[in-house]
Structures are given as C-alpha cells and as structure tokens.
C-alpha cells in the first residue's frame, strides 16, 4: 500500500532518516527526534503535496501493515524535472518492494499527473539504486551537483512511452 506521508508517520520517518544507508546515500537530514521528523513532514513534504498533488508516499506491507519505506515524486531545487526517489528500512530491502512501488508511481506520474518524463538521481557508489533504476527502464543521461549536495550525482531519465 502507498499513502501520502503525513504526521502519523513521524516515528517511522525518524527511523528511516536515521538508517545508515539513508545517511550514506541520501544524506543526513539532522532529524534527531520524532518531533523533528514531524516538523520535516509538515515543512517539506506536505507543502509539495498541496502544491503539486504528489510528494512522498509511505509504503505499507499488505499482510501486517508495517511501514517499510518511502517512494515519491520530488520537485528538487536544481533539477530540471521531477525526481523519483525511494528508500526502505534495511530489513525490507531485496524483496521487490521498491520496484513494485516505483512501478506504481511511474504509472501515476505518466497517466494521472500528465508527466512525459521522470528523472532519478543517485550517488555513484549506490550500485543497488542504479540497478533498480535500470530495471525500471531509466537510463543515465548526465551527472549533476544539486544545491544541497556536495557530491556529484548520476542523473537518470525515463520518458513516457505514450
């Protein structure tokens, strides 16, 4: 299941944003408490959802209703297009959840939100993310340093087939 990330997800977001791979590959957001996670949701995620109709979505397993990760469409400063992003808690990686969620969000981006292309960014060292992007049909088109990032990121693109 996918639902827009909201303040009820603050404890989960706190855990996810402090996972070692999140910090290594996405970046430390300096979220040191559940309250700070709540503020991040209110200040960063909710405004984009209200402005564009899409943002971050919390992924929930059907069988036990556990929150396992996020997948979203992000309007990032310095990126000329909408970015598909995903991250899972470590114990839920390698089970196909990010692939399944990303496929659903790609379909929504092209069919419901009327986009004709999506971008995705990843660190050069994040081979698992690159493999998933390849599997989803993205192709690397360039590299770029975003405003908030100190490292050059690989930029991938997926164009709508319609």
């Amino acid at each position: 299941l996918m639902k827009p990330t909201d303040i009820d997800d603050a404890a989960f977001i706190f855990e996810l944003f402090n996972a070692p791979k999140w910090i290594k590959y996405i970046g430390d957001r300096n979220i040191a408490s559940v309250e700070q996670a709540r503020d991040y949701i209110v200040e960063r995620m909710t405004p984009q959802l209200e402005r564009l109709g899409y943002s971050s979505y919390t992924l929930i397993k059907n069988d036990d209703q556990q929150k396992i990760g996020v997948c979203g469409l992000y309007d990032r400063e310095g990126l000329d297009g909408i970015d598909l992003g995903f991250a899972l808690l470590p114990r839920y990686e390698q089970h196909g959840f990010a692939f399944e969620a990303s496929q659903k969000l790609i379909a929504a981006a092209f069919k419901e939100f009327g986009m004709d292309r999506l971008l995705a960014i990843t660190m050069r060292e994040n081979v698992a993310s690159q493999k998933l992007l390849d599997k989803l049909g993205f192709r690397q088109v360039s590299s770029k340093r975003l405003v908030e990032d100190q490292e050059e990121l690989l930029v991938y693109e997926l164009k709508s087939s319609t």
Side-chain angles (χ1 to χ4, degrees):
L1 302 172
M2 297 173 64
K3 70 165 197 77
T5 303
D6 62 29
I7 58 173
D8 293 336
D9 300 316
F12 163 71
I13 291 296
F14 170 69
E15 180 183 3
L16 181 65
F17 279 27
N18 285 287
K21 284 186 179 177
W22 179 285
I23 292 171
K24 180 178 180 179
Y25 292 127
I26 298 174
D28 190 350
R29 299 296 191 253
N30 297 309
I31 304 295
S33 68
V34 172
E35 183 61 33
Q36 286 181 333
R38 183 189 173 286
D39 292 345
Y40 188 93
I41 292 166
V42 168
E43 295 167 10
R44 301 280 307 265
M45 295 177 178
T46 304
Q48 183 188 307
L49 181 64
E50 291 171 349
R51 181 171 49 92
L52 298 175
Y54 50 82
S55 183
S56 180
Y57 297 87
T58 298
L59 308 180
I60 303 166
K61 280 182 58 195
N62 286 327
D63 60 355
D64 61 7
Q65 302 300 299
Q66 288 296 309
K67 295 175 183 179
I68 63 172
V70 293
C71 190
L73 298 170
Y74 304 102
D75 184 17
R76 298 198 191 281
E77 185 178 352
L79 196 62
D80 184 29
I82 299 300
D83 171 43
L84 172 75
F86 44 80
L88 297 173
L89 290 172
R91 62 189 172 273
Y92 298 109
E93 293 175 353
Q94 304 298 316
H95 296 284
F97 297 124
F99 179 74
E100 180 182 350
S102 294
Q103 280 188 310
K104 288 181 182 180
L105 212 46
I106 289 166
F110 293 152
K111 292 178 182 141
E112 294 174 35
F113 300 122
M115 297 177 197
D116 59 0
R117 74 181 185 117
L118 283 173
L119 299 177
I121 53 175
T122 186
M123 289 183 161
R124 203 170 292 279
E125 302 83 40
N126 192 347
V127 175
S129 179
Q130 294 166 36
K131 286 181 180 179
L132 178 55
L133 292 171
D134 288 339
K135 187 175 177 181
L136 289 164
F138 282 81
R139 296 294 167 244
Q140 184 188 345
V141 293
S142 66
S143 60
K144 184 172 187 82
R145 184 164 299 157
L146 296 182
V147 175
E148 69 269 9
D149 292 307
Q150 300 187 1
E151 188 169 329
E152 194 163 13
L153 302 170
L154 301 179
V155 179
Y156 285 73
E157 180 183 61
L158 177 67
K159 293 182 179 178
S160 172
S161 58
T162 58

